[in-house]
Amino acid sequence: QTVVTQEPSFSVSPGGTVTLTCALSSGSVSTSYYTSWYQQTPGQAPRTLIYSTNTRSSGVPDRFSASILGNKAALTITGAQADDESDYYCVLYMGSGISVFGGGTKLTVL
Amino acid sequence: EVQLLESGGGLVQPGGSLRLSCAASGFTFSSYSMSWVRQAPGKGLEWVSSITSSGGSTFYADSVKGRFTISRDNSKNTVYLQMHSLRAEDTALYYCARRGKSMAGTALYYFDFWGQGTLVTVSS
């Protein structure tokens, strides 16, 4: 059973930089997992931020960036704003049509 | 403009069945794989199922395998999720999502557009 782990919560000051990570229960995350990242605010559908590890989706500001950091996927928000306060989810593609979501990170901006 | 409109949710008793629909518009539906993703109240997102553009291949999470069936009708621009043997733990908001691909048509294994969801409640 593949488990994808994210920090349950994180806090960042307005204008600050934060890096959220996405790890596999066994093994390292690589570009082969086509990591994608989604932002969700309460009561709203998810919004696609990043796909294929580090490609920003259309309309996503460049203060959102993503990469592989060590053995994890990472989402970095530079110059955090109040409306970045959301839940953030990573998804790894495991092959054979299977995708697995991480548990999500609740980001607080204060 | 890409639009995905889910319907069919509701209250169903444990062991019951329900069929969800997702009507798509604003893009060439028959060219895209589609997926269902759910979110239990207060919980995270969970991938449920995907279907290829032709409907020739389907994929399921272990939690629903053998109970749920995904299908599509490209003439109606609609994807379905037939759910049987429903359990309390299937209670969730069910989102329809389009699978993104490159301009060249290469699968990119992410969800690029989402509907607003339809709520399924399994309770006696």
Side-chain angles (χ1 to χ4, degrees):
Chain A
Q1 179 80 358
T2 300
V3 176
V4 178
T5 302
Q6 299 181 244
E7 298 88 357
S9 62
F10 229 117
S11 184
V12 63
S13 300
T17 296
V18 62
T19 296
L20 313 181
T21 67
C22 176
L24 267 175
S25 53
S26 57
S28 299
V29 179
S30 67
T31 56
S32 302
Y33 287 91
Y34 293 88
T35 306
S36 52
W37 291 89
Y38 305 85
Q39 177 191 48
Q40 188 183 37
T41 52
Q44 298 296 315
R47 170 197 182 196
T48 306
L49 294 176
I50 301 284
Y51 62 94
S52 295
T53 302
N54 57 11
T55 303
R56 272 186 300 276
S57 191
S58 178
V60 175
D62 60 7
R63 54 200 183 77
F64 289 91
S65 62
S67 63
I68 300 293
L69 221 55
N71 61 351
K72 301 178 183 181
L75 174 72
T76 299
I77 306 172
T78 305
Q81 300 180 0
D83 60 3
D84 294 335
E85 187 161 294
S86 302
D87 295 326
Y88 292 85
Y89 295 91
C90 65
V91 175
L92 302 185
Y93 180 68
M94 309 308 293
S96 301
I98 308 297
S99 293
V100 180
F101 278 83
T105 297
K106 183 177 184 65
L107 180 67
T108 301
V109 180
L110 53 71
Chain B
E1 179 193 4
V2 173
Q3 291 195 351
L4 300 171
L5 184 61
E6 302 94 337
S7 61
L11 175 63
V12 60
Q13 292 188 338
S17 299
L18 210 55
R19 189 178 83 155
L20 307 183
S21 300
C22 170
S25 61
F27 64 100
T28 305
F29 179 74
S30 60
S31 295
Y32 286 84
S33 295
M34 299 295 295
S35 298
W36 289 94
V37 175
R38 69 183 180 182
Q39 187 169 34
K43 303 295 185 183
L45 298 165
E46 179 189 15
W47 172 77
V48 173
S49 181
S50 294
I51 186 168
T52 54
S53 57
S54 66
S57 294
T58 57
F59 312 95
Y60 300 94
D62 287 344
S63 57
V64 306
K65 200 174 294 182
R67 300 187 299 121
F68 290 11
T69 302
I70 191 171
S71 62
R72 64 191 295 159
D73 185 338
N74 284 345
S75 69
K76 295 183 178 179
N77 290 354
T78 301
V79 60
Y80 305 98
L81 187 68
Q82 178 69 56
M83 305 184 293
H84 294 296
S85 303
L86 283 161
R87 307 165 179 166
E89 54 264 37
D90 296 317
T91 294
L93 186 62
Y94 284 73
Y95 292 103
C96 172
R98 192 180 81 168
R99 278 289 211 194
K101 60 179 183 176
S102 72
M103 296 285 282
T106 306
L108 294 176
Y109 308 113
Y110 76 110
F111 311 104
D112 62 352
F113 286 94
W114 300 71
Q116 289 301 309
T118 186
L119 182 63
V120 172
T121 303
V122 183
S123 174
S124 54

